[in-house]
Amino acid sequence: MDLFSSLGLGFSVALDPFNVFYCFVGVLLGTLVGVLPGIGPTATIAMLLPITFSLNPETALIMLAGIYYGAQYGGSTTAILINLPGESSAAVTAIDGYQMARQGRAGPALAAAALGSFFAGSVATFLLAAFAPPLARAALSFGSPEYFSLIVLGLLVSIALAHGSILKALAMIVLGLLLGMVGQDIYTGTPRFTFGLRELFGGLNFVALAVGVFGIAEILRNLENEREREVGVKAVKNLWLTRDDFRRIAAPVLRGTVIGSLLGILPGGGHILSAFASYSAEKRLSKHPEQFGKGAIEGVAGPESANNAAAQTSFIPLMTLGIPAHPVMALMIGAFILQGITPGPNVINEQPALFWGIIASMWVGNLLLVILNLPLVGLWVKMLSIPYRVLFPAIVLFACIGTLSINQNIFDIYAIAFFGLVGYLLIRFGCEPAPLLLGFVLGPLLEEHLRRAMIISRGDPMVFVERPISAALLALALAAVLIAVLPNIRRKRQEVFVEDD
Amino acid sequence: MAFSVSRNDVASGAIFVAFGAYFVLEATKYEFGTPFRMGPGFMPIVLGGILIVLGLAVAAKGFAHADTEEAVPWPWRGLVMVLGTIVFFAATIRGLGFIPVVLISGFVTALSSARNNPLSALAVSVGLCVLCYAIFVVGLGMIVPLFGPWLPL
């Protein structure tokens, strides 16, 4: 099947009125929840994951992908309007976006973000369609040693991107890996770390962990120091860009798309890196670098495009290798598994309608996003003025009811409370939660492939460096750690992160 | 010279050591195996050991410098009421049923914010109850008793 007939199949799935409707609902809900301050895409998807469970796989995943870019876009809106990024990738948008909003240019900032995202998303989706099939074919020749090395690479790249202490990020990954081992051992069936509870034999519930660490912990964090947010912008006017604005954003959007598409493929959180990379590239290339941080439209358009391009291309490792590039993709894996599909190189051959349907729906979704958001921006501004004291009880209840509705397992609710507490303590003490989640999802895969590789090699660990692809991946992983530890890059990382405070 | 310690680093280090120690101790009960055929205990012991070392390193670094920020007060009210509500929800949803549990949970969680008074908390919980009923029971067809067997209805 060539690319175009495949895409034709995809569009026949994606344009099915039923699927378009759910894509629309997903984009709408994603934006709606993503706009709420303090809730980033990860928490949004974790909360909305249960409601996709009753749908058939294509529709559920199309809706979920819609929720994802809706949430991402909603997060940028919040970042621009009230300087409260829901996730670190939106932190870059907040730097100049919020300044533009304060100068009364919220409209152009939002429009630049929307148009940049749409352009970048469309291009990156095309790249995904073009490169996923050959990569999936290549991935079929991956053996366990290659998978093991790739997972190690993904985990180590993710620490290079976490804020603050590298030691803490490493420890969070290892803790995540260990939590992933709870449940029956895959080879012998021995129940591990279950306290004898039958509910734990299948492992800890992923949604409960994600909701606890990202949702509940965040609420506790906000209750530490309660103050009402200020919505500086009461109404957004002048959504359209001037000709001058168009001229200023064209090149940043293009560069952002290239940077984002390339970095997004990296396992381990390329979308955050890409937003920062694009921002610093624009700042360096600009003729007026002094405007950055004071409301430069390039500083919104570039990172937003990069971020969105990376969001699309980060589906490549997921769909071809079954390896999540960042926590949101980890949730996507959770969704695939809930639907009884193992993500990986076989999806494209065994479920072509699903695979191409998701890809085609990304265009539909991105288009719906632009159509939906620019006119509805007034509604989002209103959403921002919902006081937190009304919002957080809703989040707590949605978390409990939603998690319960997945498996009808009471034990999962206790797990939310436990991970809410642990997550809160760790975040309070300066640890980032994202590496923990990534470790948790990759833990079982890591163990399975390590053990299988060792059996194949008859206990010889040299197998990981003797096979060329595996050796190259491990070398990249080592390079990622070295880069993160080297002093001048450390300093630079701090500079970038200081700016967004 | 004042003795400066980063309380955050020491505390997070301690959490890592505690988790690592638990996983290692528990994993010694499982078969360790050989590198050729790893048993169920192999990975947890290795990773737990790494976690202990990392935790110690984090804590050791904490003894070298002080926290840059003043510690924020603990949100005791929020911790007890939010986490308590979740546990309450889990313990009673089967027995009391959807509507009473959502009403009570919404009310108590809302009260954990100093900005809510009993009246506003009541309004929030009633509103949420209607919303959750509409979304989960009507919209998603979740099967859950509205009033549980513990209530004499």
Side-chain angles (χ1 to χ4, degrees):
Chain A
M1 239 189 331
D2 62 79
L3 184 58
F4 289 96
S5 64
S6 306
L7 282 176
L9 170 69
F11 275 108
S12 71
V13 175
L15 291 178
D16 175 84
F18 187 69
N19 288 340
V20 171
F21 172 73
Y22 275 100
C23 185
F24 174 78
V25 173
V27 169
L28 183 69
L29 276 180
T31 317
L32 208 67
V33 181
V35 161
L36 298 175
I39 306 177
T42 317
T44 307
I45 295 180
M47 267 163 45
L48 295 177
L49 185 61
I51 63 174
T52 63
F53 186 48
S54 54
L55 303 166
N56 67 37
E58 284 93 24
T59 315
L61 290 165
I62 284 174
M63 179 172 172
L64 213 56
I67 292 174
Y68 173 40
Y69 22 85
Q72 191 124 26
Y73 184 82
S76 327
T77 309
T78 321
I80 289 172
L81 292 180
I82 56 171
N83 196 18
L84 218 136
E87 210 178 45
S88 25
S89 56
V92 187
T93 312
I95 305 174
D96 276 287
Y98 182 59
Q99 292 303 324
M100 285 182 72
R102 281 182 54 185
Q103 293 158 15
R105 288 181 30 90
L110 288 168
L115 295 176
S117 300
F118 176 66
F119 175 79
S122 310
V123 173
T125 306
F126 182 76
L127 292 178
L128 168 61
F131 288 111
L135 270 174
R137 269 195 295 281
L140 283 175
S141 64
F142 268 37
S144 281
E146 283 80 18
Y147 269 106
F148 173 80
S149 305
L150 189 68
I151 295 167
V152 171
L153 170 65
L155 290 173
L156 292 181
V157 169
S158 79
I159 56 157
L161 304 171
H163 315 211
S165 162
I166 290 173
L167 271 179
K168 284 181 184 169
L170 261 178
M172 288 298 267
I173 289 181
V174 177
L175 181 56
L177 289 172
L178 281 167
L179 291 172
M181 315 249 139
V182 172
Q184 274 181 317
D185 173 44
I186 36 168
Y187 285 99
T188 60
T190 315
R192 298 188 287 183
F193 316 109
T194 57
F195 302 101
L197 292 167
R198 196 149 271 288
E199 286 92 340
L200 276 178
F201 277 32
L204 288 164
N205 183 310
F206 175 71
V207 178
L209 180 87
V211 165
V213 171
F214 280 92
I216 303 299
E218 197 54 42
I219 288 176
L220 295 171
R221 188 88 190 144
N222 283 325
L223 287 177
E224 276 174 356
N225 188 356
E226 282 192 78
R227 38 158 206 241
E228 288 299 323
R229 307 169 311 271
E230 238 180 272
V231 182
V233 184
K234 293 282 176 256
V236 178
K237 289 187 290 272
N238 289 334
L239 268 173
W240 207 237
L241 298 171
T242 62
R243 186 167 303 177
D244 180 48
D245 287 332
F246 268 116
R247 213 166 31 79
R248 287 176 65 182
I249 68 167
V253 166
L254 278 176
R255 280 193 290 266
T257 306
V258 174
I259 293 173
S261 303
L262 290 177
L263 292 177
I265 306 171
L266 270 187
H271 65 309
I272 302 167
L273 183 66
S274 65
F276 282 111
S278 161
Y279 189 79
S280 49
E282 292 313 324
K283 196 169 173 178
R284 209 162 299 146
L285 290 170
S286 167
K287 288 194 195 78
H288 312 282
E290 73 283 353
Q291 287 181 4
F292 278 76
K294 299 196 184 74
I297 196 166
E298 295 93 337
V300 176
E304 271 298 301
S305 315
N307 182 4
N308 217 49
Q312 307 293 347
T313 53
S314 63
F315 275 91
I316 292 180
L318 176 79
M319 305 254 252
T320 57
L321 299 164
I323 289 185
H326 52 87
V328 173
M329 288 300 126
L331 282 159
M332 284 292 199
I333 289 217
F336 272 97
I337 292 169
L338 278 178
Q339 296 285 353
I341 300 162
T342 314
N346 288 320
V347 172
I348 190 167
N349 296 320
E350 286 166 10
Q351 312 249 7
L354 174 76
F355 181 87
W356 294 104
I358 293 177
I359 289 184
S361 85
M362 289 174 182
W363 274 302
V364 179
N366 272 300
L367 188 64
L368 285 174
L369 200 61
V370 174
I371 299 174
L372 186 72
N373 276 304
L374 294 179
L376 283 183
V377 76
L379 177 67
W380 307 146
V381 175
K382 282 225 172 56
M383 291 283 296
L384 285 174
S385 53
I386 297 181
Y388 195 69
R389 62 194 165 88
V390 175
L391 209 56
F392 81 87
I395 301 174
V396 173
L397 278 176
F398 280 19
C400 291
I401 304 174
T403 309
L404 180 68
S405 71
I406 302 179
N407 286 341
Q408 296 286 330
N409 187 347
I410 294 290
F411 189 83
D412 292 344
I413 317 276
Y414 291 116
I416 297 180
F418 178 74
F419 286 113
L421 180 64
V422 172
Y424 168 70
L425 290 175
L426 287 169
I427 295 170
R428 185 186 164 103
F429 298 140
C431 304
E432 279 274 299
L436 177 103
L437 198 62
L438 211 54
F440 177 74
V441 176
L442 291 177
L445 283 174
L446 184 78
E447 183 179 24
E448 184 186 339
H449 289 297
L450 174 65
R451 283 165 76 172
R452 194 182 296 156
M454 292 305 270
I455 290 173
I456 294 168
S457 74
R458 314 206 133 259
D460 178 12
M462 293 307 284
V463 67
F464 297 110
V465 286
E466 277 163 1
R467 297 174 65 133
I469 299 178
S470 162
L473 292 169
L474 285 178
L476 277 175
L478 192 66
V481 177
L482 285 180
I483 287 172
V485 177
L486 285 180
N488 66 346
I489 298 197
R490 269 195 81 82
R491 215 175 308 128
K492 194 154 220 166
R493 253 168 36 125
Q494 269 156 10
E495 262 170 41
V496 178
F497 283 112
V498 165
E499 274 175 323
D500 67 35
D501 277 337
Chain B
M1 193 187 94
F3 187 56
S4 64
V5 175
S6 160
R7 229 178 274 143
N8 284 351
D9 284 1
V10 175
S12 51
I15 295 178
F16 291 133
V17 172
F19 268 105
Y22 165 72
F23 277 102
V24 169
L25 283 180
E26 183 69 19
T28 51
K29 294 180 197 156
Y30 313 133
E31 197 200 330
F32 188 74
T34 62
F36 178 12
R37 287 193 187 282
M38 296 180 190
F42 192 97
M43 285 287 278
I45 288 181
V46 172
L47 287 175
I50 295 176
L51 186 58
I52 293 175
V53 172
L54 287 171
L56 290 175
V58 169
K61 252 181 107 181
F63 282 104
H65 68 102
D67 284 326
T68 43
E69 289 161 25
E70 199 59 35
V72 275
W74 287 88
W76 288 117
R77 185 167 155 156
L79 272 172
V80 172
M81 286 169 112
V82 171
L83 297 178
T85 306
I86 299 173
V87 173
F88 166 81
F89 181 97
T92 58
I93 183 81
R94 291 265 155 80
L96 286 177
F98 187 83
I99 288 176
V101 170
V102 171
L103 273 179
I104 298 170
S105 306
F107 182 72
V108 177
T109 325
L111 270 185
S112 65
S113 160
R115 292 177 171 273
N116 275 323
N117 55 41
L119 199 67
S120 68
L122 189 67
V124 168
S125 74
V126 172
L128 278 179
C129 189
V130 174
L131 190 68
C132 289
Y133 176 76
I135 295 177
F136 288 99
V137 179
V138 179
L140 297 170
M142 182 181 173
I143 299 158
V144 62
L146 292 184
F147 293 95
W150 293 356
L151 294 173
L153 282 177

